[in-house]
Amino acid sequence: MSTLMISDLHLDPKRPEVTAAFLQFLHRQTRDADALYILGDLFEAWIGDDNDDDLADQVASALAARPIPKFFMHGNRDFLLGADYAARCGMQLLNDPCVIDLYGERVLLMHGDLLCTDDAAYQAFRTQVRDPQWQHGFLAQPLAARRAFAAQARAASAAHQSGLANMESITDVTPATVDAYLHQYGVTQLIHGHTHRPAVHTERGHRRIVLGDWYDQGSLLEIPADGEWTLQTLPIRHGVSS
């Protein structure tokens, strides 16, 4: 028995091969799992729980069919995923950050964008769109308007990152911020995604595990009840539809 953690799938109708890989993962790897944690950016974009596309229905049905505890933490792309859709998936929403007990060990979970404090422009945007008043106004708009905004936001994000002089360092975590969160929550272990830089870092007296994205391959952290934690890759058969 083990606990599984994934993030940054960025599911999108334009990439059916990733959806197919995710559905296969749910069918195979979660069969004997104790729990599944999705640490944000399950979707490339989420414009509200009234989203009526086929992908949202397909993912909800597949997740609901897995009879294990499932937990979801918002990412920077799907921060509007709400209680209604979570219930359809059989998922429990988690705060970001939060501390959980993993087989007797206290571990801090985050999506990871809060750790990238050198990117001041992104942090300002994050503060804006996480404001309940902003979200209420956005969700009151027609679906077409929300879809257009999501497309513009993705384009603006790509342009912003391409224009950064030190993109590699600015879009990665800030070490001092990592240390501050670990100190604040009194833990020595942190698991997060967001940066798309899968790795296990043992540094400054703590361990930080970064989950990878699901573009060229999938990424999975498997945590056995009694055994070594392993950061694994999963195949994605490009050109295959779901």
Side-chain angles (χ1 to χ4, degrees):
M1 303 297 285
S2 59
T3 294
L4 308 178
M5 298 202 180
I6 58 176
S7 74
D8 298 280
L9 287 81
H10 294 268
L11 298 178
D12 189 319
K14 297 178 181 178
R15 300 194 303 132
E17 67 277 8
V18 179
T19 301
F22 175 57
L23 298 179
Q24 186 176 68
F25 158 77
L26 289 177
H27 178 69
R28 293 183 176 179
Q29 272 86 0
T30 67
R31 187 174 300 166
D32 297 318
D34 286 328
L36 170 65
Y37 287 79
I38 303 172
L39 300 187
D41 286 358
L42 174 61
F43 293 96
E44 175 68 6
W46 191 258
I47 57 174
D49 286 4
D50 57 344
N51 184 12
D52 57 2
D53 66 28
D54 293 338
L55 177 61
D57 291 339
Q58 187 178 25
V59 170
S61 296
L63 282 166
R66 307 314 300 165
I68 61 171
K70 297 173 289 286
F71 303 90
F72 176 82
M73 177 179 286
H74 293 113
N76 55 296
R77 298 298 184 96
D78 49 19
F79 56 87
L80 288 170
L81 194 152
D84 289 347
Y85 188 74
R88 287 175 57 193
C89 298
M91 301 188 301
Q92 178 179 330
L93 296 176
L94 296 175
N95 292 327
D96 180 9
C98 72
V99 175
I100 66 168
D101 183 284
L102 271 177
Y103 308 115
E105 293 193 58
R106 295 179 71 250
V107 179
L108 179 63
L109 303 182
M110 303 181 71
H111 173 59
D113 55 338
L114 281 170
L115 300 170
C116 302
T117 50
D118 285 347
D119 191 348
Y122 167 73
Q123 295 299 332
F125 174 77
R126 187 188 193 280
T127 298
Q128 174 192 358
V129 299
R130 296 302 180 101
D131 179 74
Q133 187 173 357
W134 184 93
Q135 294 186 4
H136 178 77
F138 178 80
L139 293 173
Q141 298 179 40
L143 278 171
R146 285 180 261 158
R147 288 195 178 97
F149 176 87
Q152 292 170 0
R154 290 197 298 272
S157 175
H160 167 64
Q161 291 193 18
S162 66
L164 292 174
N166 300 306
M167 188 187 75
E168 284 298 311
S169 61
I170 290 176
T171 59
D172 202 356
V173 303
T174 303
T177 305
V178 171
D179 292 345
Y181 273 103
L182 289 166
H183 177 74
Q184 177 182 347
Y185 287 91
V187 297
T188 59
Q189 307 228 53
L190 166 63
I191 301 170
H192 71 84
H194 179 66
T195 64
H196 299 191
R197 295 172 171 91
V200 179
H201 301 274
T202 303
E203 53 199 2
R204 302 184 302 281
H206 64 254
R207 179 168 64 168
R208 178 171 64 92
I209 300 178
V210 187
L211 306 174
D213 60 73
W214 287 50
Y215 282 98
D216 296 325
Q217 59 190 14
S219 181
L220 165 68
L221 176 62
E222 182 172 7
I223 303 171
D226 184 15
E228 196 69 26
W229 298 13
T230 57
L231 191 58
Q232 306 169 14
T233 59
L234 300 172
I236 293 177
R237 296 176 60 195
H238 293 277
V240 176
S241 69
S242 57

